[in-house]
Amino acid sequence: MTVRRLTDARINALKPGKSVRHVRDTALTGFGVRILPSGKKRYFIHTQREGKRIWKSIGDPDRMNLADARNVARAALAAIRKGQPAAASPDESLFEVVAEEVFRRYARHWKPSTLRVNRGYLRATILPGFRGRQIADITRTDVRGWFLSLHETPAAADRAAPVLSVIMAQAEVYGYRPGNSNPCKGLRRYRRKGRERFLSDAEIRRLGDALSRHEPDRPLLTAMVRLLLLTGCRSHEIRTLQWRDVRDGRLYLRDSKTGPRTVWLSSSSRDVLTRLPRTSRWIFPSPQSEGPVSETAVSRFWRHVRSDAGLKDVRLHDLRHTYASVAVIQGETVPAIGRLLGHDDAGTTLKYAHLAEATIRDAADVMGAVLEGAPP
């Protein structure tokens, strides 16, 4: 960040770069100008109060000269020091503008894949409901009305709501909304049937038979599916495994959904790995590139296997649910299951507690044997 005494001439001469640039004013601490890659410029104030950073845009150099901007900035900074809210420029506090700022500044908290998905929900599900609104004016009633309007697409509503909540929470942090005013708090998600699909004893047998039939032609992908069911890992965690991640009977996941974690391997899962060739640093290498097998190839293989097994409604992620269900039946505690699955929230694990039913009791005894091709 550059620091210099700003003048109207210097501001006019500032050129955009590939990323956002900030130039602070030496004449007024906490005041400066931001230059966007598009060439647009914004006056801003940046300060702290009670340990929280406050960053506000206060005007456009195309519409406000430097002297007026300094006066607005000085008044805003004084208000913040007194604990009073500092008004933001109307065009800068529109929902879509603040949402874009949140995505730019908050992106480091999301994995790249999560960022892409969340941006998709912002574009398709959230913006149609709030574009053009002042973010400070959006109430809990507005959010509930938006959520209810999505009743025909409950899955999209449930996934978009947490994204909206992050936007609102960060809007408080950035000073666009009062503290503790998140209108998404207390929003109850839709209850949908079939969200936690798990395999019964008979279904596990059918899956084992189908995998055995596909193994001669696709041994690596077959092994990957076996590992998913035997470890409870997420698909991308197994798909991107490298041989260096396997040590001392454990998987050391470098970048799981909740951060690095260790997965203990059962004898059956160790046997699956032992039988695989080491032709690449990747355990499941792509035949077309230097990287791991593609997500598309895995999905295509799974569609063939589940169709062959008569399990057309089963997602690959449901193998993780099945693993958790078996752990429940075997008497594992919620904290232990949470550690096995890599959950960082006990509430996420508790949803499996209701799965302790007779239909999956036998699955705990036969799963490993069926997948290994041995008689139960």
Side-chain angles (χ1 to χ4, degrees):
M1 182 176 291
T2 306
V3 179
R4 64 176 60 175
R5 184 179 179 84
L6 291 175
T7 65
D8 285 316
R10 281 178 174 170
I11 292 173
N12 289 334
L14 291 172
K15 302 298 182 184
K18 293 183 178 179
S19 59
V20 177
R21 295 174 55 206
H22 297 93
V23 180
R24 289 183 180 271
D25 184 24
T26 58
L28 177 59
T29 302
F31 170 65
V33 65
R34 176 171 57 194
I35 307 96
L36 305 177
S38 64
K40 278 287 191 181
K41 299 168 187 175
R42 297 284 188 271
Y43 292 121
F44 70 85
I45 57 171
H46 187 205
T47 187
Q48 289 193 9
R49 178 174 170 79
E50 297 178 349
K52 291 185 177 180
R53 291 184 178 183
I54 299 174
W55 186 303
K56 291 180 177 292
S57 294
I58 59 171
D60 188 330
D62 290 338
R63 304 175 187 174
M64 182 187 297
N65 63 38
L66 179 59
D68 290 341
R70 276 205 186 104
N71 289 334
V72 172
R74 191 174 288 110
L77 290 167
I80 292 170
R81 283 194 293 270
K82 295 177 182 177
Q84 300 171 356
S89 172
D91 64 331
E92 291 293 323
S93 56
L94 289 173
F95 177 84
E96 59 268 29
V97 176
V98 177
E100 188 59 37
E101 180 179 352
V102 171
F103 268 71
R104 174 174 56 81
R105 297 174 63 180
Y106 196 80
R108 59 189 175 86
H109 296 283
W110 288 322
K111 292 180 179 297
S113 58
T114 303
L115 178 60
R116 288 194 299 272
V117 170
N118 288 352
R119 190 169 281 285
Y121 283 116
L122 172 67
R123 181 179 60 254
T125 309
I126 300 175
L127 284 179
F130 300 103
R131 182 184 282 110
R133 298 282 305 276
Q134 292 293 314
I135 196 165
D137 295 339
I138 296 173
T139 66
R140 185 169 297 182
T141 299
D142 295 327
V143 170
R144 287 178 176 172
W146 163 78
F147 195 68
L148 288 173
S149 72
L150 300 172
H151 66 278
E152 293 185 357
T153 55
D158 282 352
R159 294 186 180 184
V163 180
L164 178 61
S165 184
V166 167
I167 293 170
M168 292 299 184
Q170 292 306 116
E172 294 180 22
V173 174
Y174 304 158
Y176 294 108
R177 289 182 60 91
N180 299 315
S181 67
N182 190 336
C184 299
K185 285 185 177 179
L187 191 66
R188 299 186 65 177
R189 298 190 184 186
Y190 287 97
R191 298 182 64 180
R192 307 195 308 277
K193 295 181 179 180
R195 294 181 69 183
E196 285 83 46
R197 173 74 159 88
F198 58 92
L199 302 183
S200 66
D201 176 10
E203 288 174 330
I204 291 175
R205 293 177 184 278
R206 297 210 306 270
L207 175 59
D209 291 341
L211 287 172
S212 296
R213 289 192 292 273
H214 285 269
E215 190 165 19
D217 295 328
R218 306 303 296 272
L220 288 180
L221 289 174
T222 299
M224 180 179 167
V225 174
R226 293 184 192 277
L227 278 180
L228 288 173
L229 187 53
L230 290 168
T231 63
C233 288
R234 300 174 179 88
S235 177
H236 77 274
E237 293 171 344
I238 296 297
R239 183 177 62 84
T240 59
L241 272 177
Q242 298 184 32
W243 285 110
R244 65 176 181 172
D245 301 329
V246 184
R247 302 188 301 277
D248 304 320
R250 282 164 272 188
L251 300 180
Y252 293 90
L253 303 180
R254 291 164 282 108
D255 191 26
S256 72
K257 184 176 180 180
T258 55
R261 71 181 181 96
T262 301
V263 177
W264 291 82
L265 296 172
S266 65
S267 58
S268 294
S269 53
R270 291 197 300 271
D271 289 344
V272 171
L273 287 168
T274 299
R275 293 195 295 266
L276 294 177
R278 298 198 178 206
T279 58
S280 167
R281 66 189 177 102
W282 304 100
I283 295 179
F284 301 103
S286 168
Q288 286 86 28
S289 70
E290 296 297 322
V293 63
S294 70
E295 185 177 352
T296 300
V298 174
S299 297
R300 186 183 302 116
F301 175 73
W302 175 245
R303 287 196 295 271
H304 290 316
V305 169
R306 73 180 184 182
S307 178
D308 189 14
L311 303 170
K312 291 186 177 181
D313 66 321
V314 177
R315 304 166 302 165
L316 202 57
H317 194 72
D318 292 327
L319 303 186
R320 180 172 165 85
H321 296 156
T322 299
Y323 178 88
S325 305
V326 171
V328 170
I329 293 302
Q330 289 178 326
E332 295 290 352
T333 64
V334 167
I337 296 171
R339 289 189 63 187
L340 287 171
L341 296 175
H343 288 161
D344 57 2
D345 181 0
T348 306
T349 312
L350 281 170
K351 68 182 181 181
Y352 294 107
H354 73 284
L355 298 177
E357 301 173 356
T359 54
I360 60 172
R361 184 172 299 278
D362 293 340
D365 300 322
V366 304
M367 184 170 67
V370 169
L371 288 177
E372 290 300 308

